[in-house]
Amino acid sequence: MSYSSLMRFDVGMVRGSCIINYRPPQYEPPNMICYPEEVEFTHVEVNGRDIPFADVNETLNNIMLEAFEEHRNDS
């Protein structure tokens, strides 16, 4: 099972959005994980400007991961 959705994030005066491609871990009895959780961000936009994947630095990736955790908990 995997899903994609649009996520918006705000940090200070920075507003952005991205597409989340998420595949949660699968569990089989007795609670064995078949594969790890995967989170990928594509089509990243910050303050109205597209950010190429190669230019997504660790700080921006961490901001999007934090926003994803909030997004996932709200769902």
Side-chain angles (χ1 to χ4, degrees), residues 5-6 10 23 25-26 40 52-53 67 70:
S5 64
L6 176 68
D10 298 317
R23 186 170 76 165
Q26 276 188 344
E40 179 184 45
F53 185 74
E70 291 174 17

Side-chain angles (χ1 to χ4, degrees), residues 34-60:
C34 293
Y35 58 83
E37 172 180 76
E38 293 180 14
V39 180
E40 179 184 45
F41 302 109
T42 60
H43 301 85
V44 179
E45 179 185 299
V46 174
N47 289 341
R49 201 176 106 228
D50 289 332
I51 306 294
F53 185 74
D55 292 343
V56 174
N57 61 25
E58 187 175 343
T59 301
L60 179 55

Side-chain angles (χ1 to χ4, degrees), residues 20-33:
I20 307 166
N21 299 302
Y22 176 61
R23 186 170 76 165
Q26 276 188 344
Y27 297 94
E28 289 185 2
N31 296 326
M32 294 177 57
I33 297 175

